[in-house]
Amino acid sequence: MSEITDSNFEKASVRDTAFRVRMRRFFGVLQRLTSNPTTVVGLVLIALMLAMAIFAPWITEANTPDAYQMPRDWGAVRKPPGTPGHWLGTTNEGGDVFYGVIWGSRTSLQLSLYVVGSTMVIGTIIGSVAGLVGGWVDEVLMRIVDVFLSIPELIFALAIAAVLGPSFTNIIIALAMVIWVKYARIMRAQVIQIKQNDYVDAARVIGDSKLNIYLKDILPNAVTPVTVQATLDMGNVVLIGATLSFIGLSEAGIAEWGVLVSEGQAGIASGRWWASTFPGLMIFLWALAFNLVGDGLRDALDPRTEGR
Amino acid sequence: MNSAPKPESATSEVLLSISDVQKYYPIREGALQRVAGHVRAVDGVSFDIRRGETVGLVGESGCGKTTLGRVVSGLTDATGGAVHYNLDGTLSQIDHLQDLQARQFRRNCQMVFQDSFASLNPRHLVLDIVGRPLRVYNEASSGDLVERVVELLEQVGLGRQHLYRYPHQFSGGQRQRISIARALALNPEIIVLDEPTSALDVSVQAQILNLLNDLQAERNLAYLFVTHDLSVVRHMADRLVVMYLGKVCEAGETQSIFAAPHHPYTRALMAAKPDLDDDRAGENVKGLDGIVPDPARPPQGCRFHTRCEMATPVCGWEVDDVVRWLEDEPGMFEHLSGVERQSEFNAELAFDSEEAAAKLSMAIRSESVPAAMKSALKRLKLDGHKVDIEFEAVDEVQLTARDGGRLASCVLDPDEVAAKSQ
């Protein structure tokens, strides 16, 4: 028989437990991910910004009573960067830009986690139901999705947020309502494609339950594009959220990058560039980092390169 | 690879019985998805599989053999007819089974697929794949699951060293062995083999076939061997069922069919497969010509008559045959503007010019049409730019019993078939 008889490999795999082999596969993906320099840049940026969000109370003293409100130092308004106590300057209302940059990362992390987390779950469930059940259920669900997709994301989110009234929570709700359709679409296409595979039929012939077939055969093979999309959306959501904040759909005075850019933009003409630039740079870096990692993840999880 | 005829097979009990099974797929058209017709993938097939025997199901691509295999294994529901399975001595219809009986059938009827890569979940280890049936039926505790899987792997020529690997780390033949091990896990009585060796190298094919033979001998397994490869089935099957366009055209003992096929289609299939140890080597054998007709509109009479070398006037010549023939005739088909059918055998062909109509009625009387078709013609009337055509109406050619328990659906005697093919 013409088989791969690398005796060392065989001995090694006899000793392997299933757990170790699975870990090795996981590390293989990780290795492919980190072999791409732009992905590593993205990962480092994400790590830094996550550290910023997590350690915010230790980096700058939390404002009381609400840490997400900008502290106001009315004695030091419109100070340029380098002012002692206000390293990145202050805003028109005496808000510390450095505080806004640091705590803004927390706000952004919350925004993206809530939106992406909830839409991923909702979209996956709805897409799976449409793909698995098919027929008129699929037809109805997908027509609803089409209605949502026919309106541009930003315009739609803006309309919802405007109806709900200006608040940061409403931005989260508006974005979640707009974005779930993407996951439903992706998931439905994946499920329809994967459920036609012979290994699904093989599981049916064995007599395994429908739930088990979905959880063991369909879902694990379908999630790759959803994971990639979720990573990209972690960045995009912050971008759209900042846009909505910028046009005033968030509460004023909140430590949010979009709000800060909005508040600082009036001063740019008078030479006070810092109040808008630093939060704007953060939005840029955040979106860039997740897009870099998302692209890298897409390549690393590509089945054509995996394990061949 | 030598399968001696099993003497007890003729008398041993029926394990699975297929009676008049039909599988029609609706063809939907238009915005309202109105059903415009049906593709008759399987159109009334009946045969039995006995305990421990191999039945070979052969035919060209698209003849419905794979669909029938899926119906037998319970993956697809039949739209008509029934499959009965022998559960504790009584034949029970498989789509009416309840709880325990359904489980019993499910365990006893397994399947091996053609594409060994697509039939194994790429994210599961061999241990998960082969152990899965055991887990589903709580056959093995997690403690002895590994040992049970190793046992199964050893039966198919693999071993402990393959437990913790992913399907893509194996060759095609090894993957098919894994599939077979999974099918064996629940100790089934019958395995549907859907082209299990078609995707493999010839040398690997032989190994898998030998393995299947050995397993059958050890476990008294029955196989439904679905394939297009006659040379494979010759070595594997005790009995053959030859399908064409959703219907059985010949069935019987493998040896006797190979010795003397009673249906011209079977003969053409055998001729189409060049055999190395054939004494006709070097001679140009006449294989199958033409394309398989649309299964949504199967031909009248004998379904094979459109491609048959020895078709007679009573084989079911019809209007469609004239249209099909016209399609290959340059300078006439373009002028055909409409076909108004009274029946399958009677229609008015309208042309856009009287000249073309006259040309057709001339051509049909000439030597360029099959002689059998010409003599089946009852009426041919030229009327301006229209041609009225009527053929002798013929009923569908049924399977008839022949000597030695054979079945065949051909209007010709076996002797005539043999004589005409010389």
Side-chain angles (χ1 to χ4, degrees), chain A residues 1 3-4 10 13 16 18 22 25 198-199 201-202 204-208 216-217 220-221 224 307-308, chain B residues 70 75 106 110 117-119 121-124 128 132 136-137 161 164-166 168-169 174 182 207:
Chain A
M1 213 184 301
E3 293 178 5
I4 321 139
E10 295 208 351
S13 58
D16 270 333
R22 289 197 184 92
R25 181 175 230 192
D198 280 350
Y199 57 78
D201 281 337
R204 288 175 59 204
V205 169
I206 289 166
D208 213 344
K216 283 186 177 176
D217 295 308
N221 285 296
T224 300
R308 288 289 177 114
Chain B
R70 290 175 63 89
L75 278 175
R106 203 47 299 149
Q110 290 297 313
F117 194 69
S119 64
N121 187 331
R123 281 169 201 275
H124 285 184
D128 304 325
R132 187 161 176 189
V136 170
Y137 293 92
Q161 70 274 21
Y164 302 107
R165 292 198 199 164
Y166 289 103
H168 65 76
Q169 293 172 296
Q174 287 175 313
R182 170 174 61 189
Q207 293 168 7

Side-chain angles (χ1 to χ4, degrees), chain B residues 77 201 251 301 324:
Chain B
D77 287 332
D201 282 353
R324 264 191 288 264

Side-chain angles (χ1 to χ4, degrees), chain B residues 19-328:
Chain B
S19 38
D20 198 28
V21 164
Q22 297 170 341
K23 179 68 191 178
Y24 290 3
Y25 290 101
I27 306 167
R28 295 181 188 279
E29 264 178 12
L32 293 172
Q33 296 291 289
R34 200 169 39 84
V35 176
H38 287 94
V39 172
R40 304 177 183 188
V42 180
D43 198 5
V45 172
S46 309
F47 61 90
D48 290 347
I49 301 172
R50 292 185 277 261
R51 207 175 280 281
E53 82 170 341
T54 302
V55 173
L57 187 57
V58 265
E60 286 167 291
S61 328
C63 74
K65 56 189 194 301
T66 294
T67 308
L68 185 60
R70 290 175 63 89
V71 170
V72 168
S73 64
L75 278 175
T76 308
D77 287 332
T79 44
V83 179
H84 289 88
Y85 192 80
N86 185 339
L87 291 170
D88 306 320
T90 52
L91 285 173
S92 317
Q93 196 172 337
I94 59 167
D95 40 7
H96 291 173
L97 295 176
Q98 300 289 318
D99 315 325
L100 257 176
Q101 285 201 313
R103 276 170 84 86
Q104 201 187 337
F105 166 70
R106 203 47 299 149
R107 299 187 50 149
N108 275 315
C109 181
Q110 290 297 313
M111 189 159 177
V112 172
F113 297 85
Q114 173 176 9
D115 185 344
S116 62
F117 194 69
S119 64
L120 304 174
N121 187 331
R123 281 169 201 275
H124 285 184
L125 296 170
V126 171
L127 173 67
D128 304 325
I129 291 168
V130 179
R132 187 161 176 189
L134 301 172
R135 283 208 183 108
V136 170
Y137 293 92
N138 292 320
E139 284 269 304
S141 64
S142 51
D144 56 37
L145 183 72
V146 173
E147 291 315 308
R148 290 283 301 275
V149 172
V150 170
E151 220 172 275
L152 285 162
L153 288 177
E154 279 167 357
Q155 288 196 30
V156 298
L158 298 172
R160 191 178 293 273
Q161 70 274 21
H162 300 107
L163 272 177
Y164 302 107
R165 292 198 199 164
Y166 289 103
H168 65 76
Q169 293 172 296
F170 292 92
S171 65
Q174 287 175 313
R175 279 201 293 267
Q176 207 55 289
R177 285 169 191 267
I178 296 168
S179 283
I180 294 168
R182 170 174 61 189
L184 290 176
L186 295 168
N187 207 6
E189 293 172 330
I190 180 168
I191 303 182
V192 176
L193 304 160
D194 183 7
E195 308 244 13
T197 58
S198 306
L200 303 175
D201 282 353
V202 182
S203 60
V204 182
Q205 250 182 42
Q207 293 168 7
I208 297 291
L209 295 177
N210 282 335
L211 171 67
L212 289 169
N213 267 333
D214 293 346
L215 290 168
Q216 182 169 44
E218 277 168 38
R219 294 164 170 252
N220 197 27
L221 276 166
Y223 290 143
L224 176 62
F225 203 110
V226 179
T227 184
H228 64 269
D229 192 340
L230 278 171
S231 58
V232 164
V233 104
R234 182 172 201 170
H235 293 294
M236 290 295 292
D238 304 304
R239 289 192 302 132
L240 273 189
V241 175
V242 184
M243 275 181 80
Y244 184 74
L245 270 181
K247 273 200 173 302
V248 175
C249 58
E250 182 156 11
E253 302 276 333
T254 308
Q255 307 294 339
S256 76
I257 288 184
F258 271 92
H262 286 189
H263 197 288
Y265 178 63
T266 318
R267 182 167 290 274
L269 266 188
M270 286 159 136
K273 176 81 191 174
D275 212 336
L276 286 178
D277 50 39
D278 201 321
D279 42 12
R280 292 177 306 166
E283 192 183 320
N284 252 344
V285 277
K286 186 77 190 162
L288 276 164
D289 275 339
I291 50 157
V292 183
D294 180 6
R297 286 184 59 82
Q300 302 294 313
C302 170
R303 293 191 174 188
F304 185 57
H305 80 255
T306 59
R307 301 164 73 194
C308 187
E309 279 286 290
M310 35 191 104
T312 71
V314 294
C315 285
W317 297 97
E318 57 182 310
V319 177
D320 276 0
D321 290 314
V322 178
V323 177
R324 264 191 288 264
W325 173 77
L326 269 177
E327 280 173 16
D328 299 330

